[in-house]
């Protein structure tokens, strides 16, 4: 069953005949070169995004859940004052943000960045497919 995106050779229009025959060949080479560069860039961004997005997302979710886990452990610690003191020190040592150079990282910003990277991967997958079909 043929779709509107069929790649059969008879579906493509033949180039107009030119006197020397070089004009169409150079134009096609330039077009394929440009689309190849775009395809490479889209595919590179997609691969990096697919690799980094889950890591950033899990790191953000884990960082935001850590204070809640520490409070659960603190309430389950019972009456031992040394254990409660140690857990309180750990709870106070968890930062709510980290400044890395000029970037401010928070748990919610990491989750948002992870979701944004997933959206970038989906967009680049779509664009690389369009670029591959256009070549």
């Amino acid at each position: 069953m043929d779709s509107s995106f069929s790649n059969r050779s008879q579906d493509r229009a033949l180039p107009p005949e030119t006197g020397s025959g070089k004009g169409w060949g150079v134009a096609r080479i330039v077009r394929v070169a440009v689309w190849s560069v775009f395809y490479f860039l889209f595919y590179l961004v997609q691969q990096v995004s697919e690799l980094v997005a889950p890591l950033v997302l899990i790191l953000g979710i884990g960082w935001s859940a850590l204070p809640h886990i520490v409070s659960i452990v603190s309430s389950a610690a019972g009456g031992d004052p040394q254990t409660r003191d140690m857990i309180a020190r750990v709870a106070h040592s968890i930062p709510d943000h980290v400044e890395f150079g000029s970037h401010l990282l928070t748990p919610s910003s990491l989750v948002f960045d992870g979701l944004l990277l997933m959206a970038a991967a989906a967009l680049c997958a779509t664009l690389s497919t369009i670029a591959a079909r256009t070549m």
Side-chain angles (χ1 to χ4, degrees):
M1 186 174 200
D2 290 333
S3 69
S4 61
F5 294 111
S6 179
N7 285 332
R8 296 183 310 159
S9 62
Q10 60 265 27
D11 288 345
R12 297 180 185 228
L14 294 175
E17 293 295 325
T18 59
S20 65
K22 288 186 175 183
W24 186 80
V26 172
R28 181 178 169 138
I29 291 172
V30 169
R31 189 182 98 192
V32 168
V34 168
W35 280 112
S36 296
V37 168
F38 282 133
Y39 181 78
F40 170 78
L41 292 175
F42 294 147
Y43 200 70
L44 179 69
V45 170
Q46 177 188 354
Q47 292 297 313
V48 171
S49 296
E50 286 178 350
L51 179 69
V52 175
L55 299 174
V56 171
L57 189 63
I58 289 171
L59 184 64
I61 290 171
W63 187 6
S64 65
L66 193 59
H68 301 292
I69 293 171
V70 169
S71 67
I72 291 170
V73 170
S74 175
S75 65
D80 188 19
Q82 289 179 334
T83 306
R84 283 187 177 266
D85 186 43
M86 183 178 66
I87 292 173
R89 280 192 204 144
V90 168
H92 290 297
S93 68
I94 300 171
D96 60 344
H97 70 279
V98 174
E99 193 168 337
F100 188 69
S102 63
H103 301 286
L104 184 67
L105 299 176
T106 62
S108 60
S109 71
L110 287 176
V111 170
F112 180 75
D113 289 344
L115 294 173
L116 196 62
L117 282 170
M118 287 181 185
L123 177 67
C124 286
T126 303
L127 293 175
S128 65
T129 302
I130 291 170
R133 290 181 186 251
T134 305
M135 281 198 282

